[in-house]
């Protein structure tokens, strides 16, 4: 019954969700001359710098390194931007929460969804351009990229719900998470192959790093032009839903106390 009621409430406020997402997207590049073009230029510029560094100084032997790098960066940027924005979603909306009743989780979902639009959907344009420039072969399985993206979206909402409620009570959470996110970046094979990680660390990364699972699927579909292992998809959805349930549980349990701290 609680799930049904929550679902009904969510659809009742879908217009607000749309407004919040639209606002976040517009504010991202407000007063910028190039505007939304930066959503494509940013990943392209980062990819160019990283390609020069790793091909010139570190002699990376990864085939078609630009596509390899960008296919991982697109996914990780979605996660880091969505959770980084969601962590302050409740605090930033404190004035509205105090004035009227609004489902508080809607602000978290809005931040994650706006990151999906800005950091993923727009960045896919950059990836598409790079694939054309590098003469990357296209395949039908490329169209399955949405599967790991959906998994990561659900996972990010769960993380966002947990982080946002924790940050209301302990503002140090955002700073601790920034440090964790930095370590997470280097423990995820974005610009290096997983094979260079020594055992047993490699096995831990492959088994316990959710970002590796999502990026591996995405690269299978887009970079390798192959169908990923179904067990990766199953494991990715299981981790995503477990994280979502945990985040929703803590958020729901503590949301009535938010007004005392924001």
């Amino acid at each position: 019954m609680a799930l049904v009621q929550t679902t009904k409430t969510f659809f009742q406020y879908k217009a607000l969700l749309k407004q919040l997402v639209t606002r976040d997207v517009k504010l991202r590049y407000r007063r910028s001359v190039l505007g939304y073009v930066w959503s494509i230029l940013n990943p392209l510029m980062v990819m160019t710098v990283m390609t020069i560094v790793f091909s010139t100084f570190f002699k990376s032997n990864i085939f078609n390194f630009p596509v390899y790098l960008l296919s991982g960066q697109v996914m990780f940027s979605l996660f880091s931007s969505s959770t980084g924005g969601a962590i302050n979603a409740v605090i930033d909306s404190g004035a509205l929460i105090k004035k009227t009743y609004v489902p508080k989780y809607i602000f978290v979902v809005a931040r994650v969804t706006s990151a999906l639009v800005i950091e993923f959907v727009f960045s896919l344009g950059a990836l598409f351009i790079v694939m054309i420039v590098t003469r990357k072969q296209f395949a039908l399985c490329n169209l399955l990229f949405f599967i790991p993206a959906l998994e990561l979206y659900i996972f990010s909402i769960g993380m966002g719900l947990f982080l946002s409620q924790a940050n209301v009570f302990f503002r140090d959470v955002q700073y601790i998470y920034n440090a964790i996110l930095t370590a997470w970046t280097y423990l995820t094979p974005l610009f290096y192959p997983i094979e260079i990680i020594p055992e047993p660390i490699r096995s831990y990364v492959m088994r316990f790093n959710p970002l590796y699972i999502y990026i591996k699927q995405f690269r299978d579909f887009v970079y390798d032009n192959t169908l990923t292992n179904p067990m990766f998809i199953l494991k990715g959805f299981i981790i995503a839903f477990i994280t979502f349930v945990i985040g929703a549980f803590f958020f729901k349990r503590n949301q009535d106390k938010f007004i005392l701290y924001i």
Side-chain angles (χ1 to χ4, degrees):
M1 291 298 293
L3 179 60
V4 173
Q5 183 60 41
T6 301
T7 304
K8 289 182 179 180
T9 303
F10 177 80
F11 282 104
Q12 287 174 357
Y13 286 88
K14 64 180 181 180
L16 174 61
L17 174 62
K18 182 179 179 180
Q19 290 179 359
L20 291 172
V21 172
T22 303
R23 181 201 63 182
D24 289 343
V25 173
K26 289 181 177 179
L27 288 177
R28 178 66 177 268
Y29 297 112
R30 185 178 59 178
R31 302 184 186 280
S32 171
V33 176
L34 295 179
Y36 299 132
V37 177
W38 281 113
S39 297
I40 296 178
L41 287 180
N42 276 335
L44 284 178
M45 289 190 295
V46 172
M47 179 220 64
T48 301
V49 172
M50 296 287 282
T51 299
I52 294 174
V53 169
F54 282 92
S55 62
T56 304
F57 299 103
F58 295 97
K59 304 297 181 182
S60 173
N61 58 356
I62 298 176
F63 175 74
N64 202 341
F65 183 76
V67 175
Y68 180 87
L69 172 64
L70 198 53
S71 59
Q73 180 187 337
V74 164
M75 292 290 281
F76 196 89
S77 294
L78 166 59
F79 172 73
S80 61
S81 179
S82 59
T83 54
I87 199 169
N88 286 309
V90 175
I91 295 174
D92 292 343
S93 306
L96 181 58
I97 292 174
K98 290 179 179 179
K99 290 180 180 179
T100 183
Y101 171 77
V102 179
K104 301 173 184 64
Y105 63 80
I106 208 78
F107 300 107
V108 176
V109 177
R111 290 289 176 88
V112 177
T113 304
S114 61
L116 178 69
V117 175
I118 298 171
E119 299 295 341
F120 185 77
V121 175
F122 288 163
S123 295
L124 283 179
L127 179 59
F128 182 72
I129 292 172
V130 172
M131 291 174 70
I132 293 177
V133 171
T134 59
R135 298 182 179 180
K136 168 75 171 63
Q137 184 179 3
F138 290 86
L140 285 176
C141 61
N142 296 157
L143 300 176
L144 298 176
F145 71 88
F146 71 90
I147 297 177
L150 176 60
E151 296 171 12
L152 184 55
Y153 176 70
I154 298 171
F155 177 76
S156 298
I157 290 177
M159 285 286 295
L161 288 171
F162 179 80
L163 291 170
S164 62
Q165 61 85 30
N167 195 50
V168 170
F169 306 111
F170 307 101
R171 302 300 167 91
D172 294 338
V173 169
Q174 56 187 313
Y175 306 112
I176 296 173
Y177 182 66
N178 285 336
I180 293 175
L181 198 59
T182 300
W184 209 334
T185 303
Y186 292 104
L187 286 174
T188 305
L190 299 177
F191 46 83
Y192 61 84
I194 188 69
E195 290 76 18
I196 72 171
I197 302 179
E199 290 286 358
I201 299 177
R202 186 195 312 170
S203 61
Y204 285 121
V205 171
M206 295 175 67
R207 277 187 278 177
F208 301 113
N209 184 351
L211 271 300
Y212 168 76
I213 296 173
Y214 301 134
I215 291 174
K216 177 68 169 62
Q217 292 179 61
F218 190 83
R219 279 181 172 151
D220 284 344
F221 292 135
V222 177
Y223 175 75
D224 292 322
N225 287 352
T226 60
L227 296 176
T228 194
N229 188 332
M231 291 304 298
F232 272 103
I233 297 178
L234 178 61
K235 187 175 181 180
F237 273 115
I238 290 175
I239 293 175
F241 282 116
I242 290 177
T243 305
F244 179 84
V245 169
I246 293 175
F249 170 79
F250 281 100
F251 193 93
K252 182 176 177 58
R253 190 180 71 171
N254 295 320
Q255 65 179 347
D256 291 337
K257 305 175 187 176
F258 290 169
I259 197 171
L260 300 175
Y261 293 86
I262 57 179

